[in-house]
């Protein structure tokens, strides 16, 4: 029995960003590039398929973006997360549009914090009693790694859903 090939839709790949010369401009440029990439992977995905586990681990497209919303908020805004595994599961009533909108709002709020950071070596200006703030440099690097990792997962899951490829 041969599997029926899925129709492919290929978006034009967006090349890596051209940024300014400063370290902050490069880091923020690449983070914003990855943020836009993963949001685009989730946006427009069919709701039930976006929520369905695409691999045996249970990872799904909607859950990845839901998780990254928590990562953005915890890292840049100081929100406390007590159960990280649960962040990989969007609420049953949440649709694709709602999860994408919440992610974009978290990114907007995180960028507002970053706009005030003039020294990448200084701690982020967030308060979380009993826990020191990471430096802006560490936070940007961590979010590039975390978002890039999950954007790669999203690439594969979206292609499995409807054949869509590209950034």
């Amino acid at each position: 029995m041969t599997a029926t090939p899925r129709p492919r839709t290929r978006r034009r790949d967006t090349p890596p960003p051209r940024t300014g010369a400063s370290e902050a401009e490069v880091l923020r440029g690449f983070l914003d590039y990855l943020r836009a990439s993963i949001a685009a992977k989730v946006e427009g995905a069919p709701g039930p398929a976006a929520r369905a586990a695409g691999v045996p681990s249970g990872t799904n497209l909607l859950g990845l973006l839901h998780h990254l919303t928590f990562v953005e908020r915890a890292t840049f805004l100081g929100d406390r997360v007590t159960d990280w595994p649960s962040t990989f599961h969007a609420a049953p009533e949440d649709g694709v549009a709602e999860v994408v909108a919440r992610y974009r709002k978290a990114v907007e709020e995180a960028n507002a914090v970053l706009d005030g950071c003039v020294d990448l070596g200084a701690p982020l200006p967030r308060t979380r009693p009993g826990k020191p703030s990471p430096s802006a440099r560490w936070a940007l690097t961590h979010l590039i790694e975390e978002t890039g990792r999950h954007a790669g997962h999203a690439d594969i899951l979206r292609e499995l859903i409807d054949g869509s490829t590209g950034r």
Side-chain angles (χ1 to χ4, degrees):
M1 184 167 165
T2 307
T4 305
R6 296 180 188 264
R8 290 195 177 267
T9 57
R10 181 161 180 86
R11 288 185 284 184
R12 199 173 130 244
D13 272 347
T14 304
R18 298 282 183 220
T19 64
S22 76
E23 180 183 12
E25 290 170 319
V26 170
L27 292 173
R28 288 191 66 178
F30 273 86
L31 179 55
D32 284 340
Y33 170 74
L34 290 167
R35 287 165 161 169
S37 177
I38 193 161
K41 280 292 174 186
V42 177
E43 195 168 49
R51 185 179 296 282
V55 292
S57 68
T59 302
N60 65 78
L61 200 55
L62 204 56
L64 288 173
L65 197 62
H66 188 257
H67 169 72
L68 283 173
T69 301
F70 280 87
V71 175
E72 289 275 352
R73 295 195 59 79
T75 303
F76 294 114
L77 306 172
D79 287 6
R80 188 167 183 252
V81 177
T82 58
D83 182 8
W84 280 105
S86 72
T87 67
F88 282 96
H89 305 284
E93 65 274 9
D94 286 344
V96 170
E98 291 84 10
V99 173
V100 171
R102 260 198 311 274
Y103 177 70
R104 288 191 170 134
K105 177 72 172 157
V107 166
E108 180 183 318
E109 292 176 20
N111 278 341
V113 169
L114 286 168
D115 288 344
C117 296
V118 293
D119 177 5
L120 292 181
L124 287 173
R126 62 182 174 107
T127 56
R128 196 146 143 212
K131 185 158 185 181
S133 293
S135 71
R137 179 181 292 107
W138 184 92
L140 283 163
T141 303
H142 171 60
L143 261 291
I144 290 168
E145 176 274 330
E146 183 86 2
T147 307
R149 178 176 186 225
H150 293 312
H153 297 145
D155 283 343
I156 293 166
L157 291 172
R158 184 62 190 259
E159 186 174 356
L160 288 170
I161 290 170
D162 63 8
S164 177
T165 62
R167 288 189 286 260

